[in-house]
Amino acid sequence: MPRSRDSGAPITSPAAAEVFTMVLTRGPVSRVDVCRLTGLSSAAVTKAARPLIEAGYLRELAPTERTAPGAGRPASPLAIAPEREYFVGIKITGDDLIGVVTDLGSRIVAAKHHAVPGFDVRTDASASPMEPADVVAAIAALVTELLDEHPGFRKRAHRLGVAISGDVDRVTGIVRYSPFLGWRDVPLAVLLDEATGLTTTLENDVKALAVAEQWFGAGVGASSFALVTIGTGIGSAFVVNGGLVSGAFGVSGEIGHVPIGVEGPRCHCGASGCLEALASTQALLTEARRATGVDDLTIDRAVTLARSGDEVLRKVFAAAGRAIGLGLAVVANLLGPESLVVSGEGLDAYDLFEESIREAFSAQAYGSAARCGLVIRPLPFEEWARGAAAVAVQSLVTYSS
């Protein structure tokens, strides 16, 4: 069952949620434009906005000039009050915690990294799992550090968003499966509610990043776009008809587990030939070590040698790039998005991938699907944590009857 949520903003109807979301993502915006974009009547918009203004979440800006002679009184655009509430976002990586505090408009106002002893990148699901209690304690400590950065944070921060790789049930707050932590069915949100005193929203990390893009980034106003991330894992998230695709069972966008090479290496999920088993950072490093015979080769060293002209390693990167290009073509062919944003820490070596990615994508994308623009945008890990905070903002705005 869904967990209870604190009162927060006065979202007392679907109309209030719709108006608040519109101003939050597109404001400042006039009431006339809110009516036009939402289809609500002027009276409905005024009724929905009034309690949000009284509670300090929205404010009216100074009137603007009339748009035309005789057009009536000047418009007073609605805008959010960014400092009305703060949100904590935590991204859990394979060896680190990244935390941020954002304002209501998703602007990062504080950020901290917190190394956790014992964390390591888990590519083998049979590895000893991290103890949930240790991770919860580390997150709670990081939240405390962040909230102590400014007196206003502790007073006006009530929500925590946490982004984690794997199969996550956002409604119940349960991590159903996270290969990098070795977890199955961990009730992380409830544990964090108790440890931090904040209302926790848990989400898959790639979906959280997509929420940030949809509400506050490149996806604002787009009816459809796709986000693909490349790095320790390979994931994707889709926005279709303005909504994030969650999947009937909470699983969607797992492009990393689409079979690209049927006879390819075995993946940690148990299948063979998955894109993630061919082109993730660890998969690429494993192949680089096999191809060179250097067992202690690091990914940074492999990148340096490939950039210096090592043909063996350049072929390894090119092969991974072709696999990625095929995976991107799958997304374009199935969804036909307006744009396809590619991000993740794996893009640090994008110059070694680019040609083979684009060649494979162009060759495999069907017809007009190839017109989908590839937007290559490396993002620091703070942006992943911002995505977690954006999910917390979203949970504030969501109407719950």
Side-chain angles (χ1 to χ4, degrees):
M1 294 182 58
R3 293 171 301 112
S4 62
R5 57 193 288 273
D6 58 77
S7 55
I11 308 296
T12 56
S13 68
E18 197 167 2
V19 169
F20 196 3
T21 301
M22 186 60 60
V23 179
L24 184 66
T25 59
R26 300 199 190 191
V29 59
S30 70
R31 282 182 169 83
V32 172
D33 285 335
V34 173
C35 292
R36 176 177 59 82
L37 292 168
T38 64
L40 295 170
S41 69
S42 177
V45 169
T46 296
K47 180 180 179 180
R50 184 181 296 115
L52 290 163
I53 294 171
E54 292 173 351
Y57 285 92
L58 298 184
R59 57 194 178 96
E60 291 185 292
L61 301 182
T64 59
E65 295 182 3
R66 294 179 178 87
T67 56
R73 65 178 184 175
S76 297
L78 293 172
I80 61 168
E83 293 79 23
R84 174 60 177 82
E85 190 161 334
Y86 293 102
F87 303 82
V88 182
I90 304 291
K91 158 68 174 172
I92 304 175
T93 75
D95 56 6
D96 200 7
L97 299 176
I98 300 94
V100 300
V101 177
T102 75
D103 62 18
L104 183 57
S106 198
R107 179 177 65 94
I108 295 176
V109 293
K112 283 183 177 291
H113 285 232
H114 194 311
V116 181
F119 269 37
D120 59 3
V121 176
R122 283 167 162 68
T123 57
D124 179 0
S126 67
S128 298
M130 289 294 301
E131 288 296 330
D134 294 338
V135 177
V136 168
I139 292 174
L142 179 54
V143 169
T144 297
E145 291 178 23
L146 286 164
L147 294 182
D148 285 345
E149 286 282 295
H150 188 280
F153 294 168
R154 189 166 290 282
K155 184 177 180 180
R156 297 196 295 276
H158 309 292
R159 292 175 180 268
L160 166 66
V162 176
I164 183 172
S165 174
D167 180 0
V168 173
D169 187 331
R170 177 169 170 172
V171 175
T172 62
I174 293 174
V175 180
R176 292 190 289 216
Y177 174 52
S178 179
F180 302 123
L181 294 177
W183 285 358
R184 288 189 182 274
D185 299 322
V186 174
L188 185 60
V190 170
L191 295 174
L192 287 171
D193 284 351
E194 296 171 353
T196 67
L198 305 179
T199 299
T200 305
T201 303
L202 187 64
E203 183 58 282
N204 168 271
D205 54 355
V206 182
K207 288 188 175 72
L209 192 58
V211 167
E213 290 295 310
Q214 181 190 14
W215 280 43
F216 304 106
V220 172
S223 64
S224 67
F225 75 92
L227 172 73
V228 175
T229 58
I230 301 166
T232 301
I234 296 180
S236 61
F238 312 134
V239 170
V240 177
N241 294 329
L244 183 67
V245 177
S246 298
F249 305 102
V251 176
S252 65
E254 291 293 343
I255 189 65
H257 299 289
V258 168
I260 298 299
V262 177
E263 301 300 326
R266 194 165 183 80
C267 181
H268 63 77
C269 72
S272 296
C274 294
L275 175 57
E276 194 164 295
L278 293 166
S280 67
T281 300
Q282 185 58 45
L284 195 152
L285 181 57
T286 297
E287 179 60 18
R289 287 172 174 173
R290 186 203 64 77
T292 61
V294 181
D295 292 339
D296 60 352
L297 183 68
T298 65
I299 191 64
D300 290 340
R301 182 60 177 161
V303 169
T304 298
L305 290 172
R307 285 175 175 159
S308 298
D310 187 305
E311 286 300 323
V312 171
L313 287 172
R314 291 185 71 84
K315 289 180 179 178
V316 170
F317 280 94
R322 282 192 292 275
I324 292 168
L326 293 175
L328 297 180
V330 168
V331 173
N333 290 344
L334 288 176
L335 295 178
E338 295 174 29
S339 63
L340 206 168
V341 180
V342 185
S343 188
E345 71 274 16
L347 292 186
D348 290 345
Y350 184 67
D351 55 302
L352 299 171
F353 293 128
E354 181 173 12
E355 183 177 355
S356 56
I357 287 178
R358 292 190 180 275
E359 285 181 354
F361 177 80
S362 298
Q364 199 68 25
Y366 178 74
S368 295
R371 296 169 55 190
C372 168
L374 290 182
V375 181
I376 309 302
R377 196 144 71 90
L379 294 174
F381 268 124
E382 284 79 8
E383 289 297 314
W384 291 80
R386 176 176 174 260
V391 169
V393 174
Q394 191 180 56
S395 72
L396 168 75
V397 176
T398 302
Y399 171 68
S400 179
S401 59

